[in-house]
Amino acid sequence: MRGEVTDSTRRGDKAGSQENRRFFWVLKGGEVDIINLELIKSISRSSPTRIVLLVIDGLGGLPNPQTGKTELETANTPNLDQLATRGICGLIDPVSPGITPGSAPGHLALFGYDPVSFNIGRGVLEAIGIDFDIQQGDVAARGNFCTVDETGLVTDRRAGRISTEKCAELCQLLDGLVIDEVRLFVCPVKEHRFIVVFRGEGLASEVSDSDPQQIGVAPKVVTALRPEAARMAGITNQFIAQARATLAGHYPANMVLLRGFSQRPQFPTMGEVYKLKPAAIASYPMYRGLAKLVGMEILKTGTSIEDEFATLKQNYANYDFFFLHIKGTDSAGEDGDFDRKVRVIEEVDNTLPSLTSLEPDVIVVTGDHSTPALLKGHSWHPVPILLHSKWCRPDRVSEFSESACVFGGLGRFPATQIIPLAMANALKLNKFGA
Amino acid sequence: MRGEVTDSTRRGDKAGSQENRRFFWVLKGGEVDIINLELIKSISRSSPTRIVLLVIDGLGGLPNPQTGKTELETANTPNLDQLATRGICGLIDPVSPGITPGSAPGHLALFGYDPVSFNIGRGVLEAIGIDFDIQQGDVAARGNFCTVDETGLVTDRRAGRISTEKCAELCQLLDGLVIDEVRLFVCPVKEHRFIVVFRGEGLASEVSDSDPQQIGVAPKVVTALRPEAARMAGITNQFIAQARATLAGHYPANMVLLRGFSQRPQFPTMGEVYKLKPAAIASYPMYRGLAKLVGMEILKTGTSIEDEFATLKQNYANYDFFFLHIKGTDSAGEDGDFDRKVRVIEEVDNTLPSLTSLEPDVIVVTGDHSTPALLKGHSWHPVPILLHSKWCRPDRVSEFSESACVFGGLGRFPATQIIPLAMANALKLNKFGA
């Protein structure tokens, strides 16, 4: 069904009555069917119950060959285990079995948005990752400083991975240009990586990359992929020419490569779909940015796990949904530091009583993907999940771990179903159909 | 894929050879893809084997806080347990995790029809629920008797919930009208609820509701949502005007509100898709009506569980698929009567040998949704299922219960897959693909 009015939107009598209209969103690249969100929107209702979604980034792991235990199984987690005992457990697939998700798809899935349908362009994602306040209409691109030889052919796509400081210096040289009434922001990300954001009237992002993705060839001329994007292509090519002139003396970073031109997507908000008043607590910009894209309010917080839980407590009265993001587990996993990941998990467990003492109607603890220290990166392994509520049907799992969750009552299921499940347990969903 | 010829229809060589054509059904609101039914149709075959689908309505529950056991776990069910031991168990989601299904979506899913795609309008559903013989071309609407003040504003959408007897009296006053050659049937449902069925040539159901879904405003004028429905809107407004005049002296029930105008949907039948000769045994009209919509024959039966099982025995030779519906579990759950639900389950178990002694090739026992007595209503919790056949791969479950079914070999899966599974176990499905 593609954008049809279905009876499903009509059926949720109470909630759906004002919503008897075509219900889909226009996302980049065309209309996308969002049957599941339609369904949920038609039956969701606002209520005073509260949901806390605690995301322990990269939670899932692989067993240490010496002990046979994963990071989570190694950690001493009496509080999580107690919650698992009283709640119901399972395993989630953020995208689908075998797929290793990046942070964006991982989190979109946790928020209930099919990560294959809901795309975020690379440029926008990078901008979000550095807390750049990207506005509707802006076009963002991911940039690399690169090296070209005297004939203009790319010899190093990363300019020898210049330092972040050097990158910041070079960005300053390019930042603030105005081309054809369009203001350009050029901001450093890390090492050779930067972003360019174009701000002005009537910009379109459908232009090709200048990054040829290989060496020995010249950077590509940017072309419009749709007629409306002709001006954008022209402005971009002017910027690239100016950048080349400005950077001429800065070998090895004497040129730029751009890709992933994109605009901030207009996703349906969690307020619209779920009728929640959601807030995000995250010490890292990327996760705040992702939360903002689905309409969460961002709460100011500190950098420690304790800070984040304190922020939850302070703001507990003002929202009915909290996304609380713990970064340290993923960072430790990426670093291949098994023991540090164990310690971060133990720190979360140790801080957990400040959350449980608030007695949220529903607590969900999970991760956006696995990050086994053994793999030093994100992985495809399903992620343990526990859900605690007065109305869950407890299972026999008494320990929050990968191997115990295999036997959980939630089974193994797609991460996009977590929010409907949490909503149900918070009694925030009407019956579907009579 | 939208109405494309799929390889699934081409591949089922033997069964599918006459069916290499576009294969979808036109449902209200447009064409709906029914990939799953397409696939099954292309490989299903008729055979002498028999399937019995025993639906214990609202079977799933939640544990009694005093005992930690659900209704099903509390009930003494030696026969079901034996069947579980010899069969294979699991948990089903009627719609998807977190979604609480009404009776219609719950049953459509059990019959293999995706309950989000296959919609039944509210008017038709209410008509079915009182055994009104709705015919192709009829338009049915759900009505409320309501109260309006002297200026015509709605002051009570339910007219103080008048008695069912009063409702029947008032319906008699309105029943039998003929407007513009269209015959109107007005029939009581319960308390303030009734149905209107419009019967005549060329009626269309795409008209707006008159029910404003709030008080303090006037009932809405019914308008055509498509040009073809203009006549229907006019007839409806005439009926409403006449009803108002007739009911003027019957305060508080001095007006009507109508909603959910709909026609009997033309679903593909189970005969068409599965090549089954299916029969339904149900003592409640709603379930007979739903069975009729998918092409089952309705067998006359009594009101007790024993009656229903006796009907199965009497008709066993004449059909190859039986849907046997037990209502008492759901009613008890809705009433919050934990013990009564336990007793109904025990009664089913006690009567079960009269079914098993027929030695059906496949027996499936499950529910259309959970109805925990603790929640006094339908719920989102997955429903235990057991499947017994000579060809199932038995698991280690030896007890038919929510907590045991977590460990079942069927896992947790969508209810729409039950019929394919039952068909397979009855050796009624050809190989898919060469």
Side-chain angles (χ1 to χ4, degrees), chain A residues 2 4 7-8 11 13 35 40 43 391-394 396 407-410 417 420-421 424-425 427 429 431-434, chain B residues 29 61 97-105 115 118-120 122 125 259 370 375 378 380-382 402-403 406-407 412:
Chain A
R2 194 173 177 91
E4 295 296 324
D7 271 352
S8 68
R11 275 186 192 163
D13 281 350
I35 298 302
I40 298 299
I43 58 175
W391 302 115
C392 73
R393 185 194 279 159
R396 295 175 188 172
F407 303 101
L410 292 175
Q417 297 176 348
L421 206 56
N425 276 277
L427 305 184
L429 290 182
K431 190 162 67 174
F432 169 64
Chain B
I99 308 301
T100 297
S103 297
F118 288 89
N119 290 301
I120 303 172
R122 186 58 189 254
L125 201 60
R259 61 188 162 103
S370 292
L375 277 169
H378 295 192
W380 62 90
H381 302 90
E402 289 87 345
S403 46
V406 168
F407 303 101
R412 182 168 171 171

Side-chain angles (χ1 to χ4, degrees), chain B residues 209-230:
Chain B
D209 295 347
S210 83
D211 189 341
Q213 298 277 359
Q214 54 179 310
I215 58 170
V217 297
K220 293 182 176 174
V221 173
V222 172
T223 58
L225 303 175
R226 302 171 72 176
E228 309 87 275

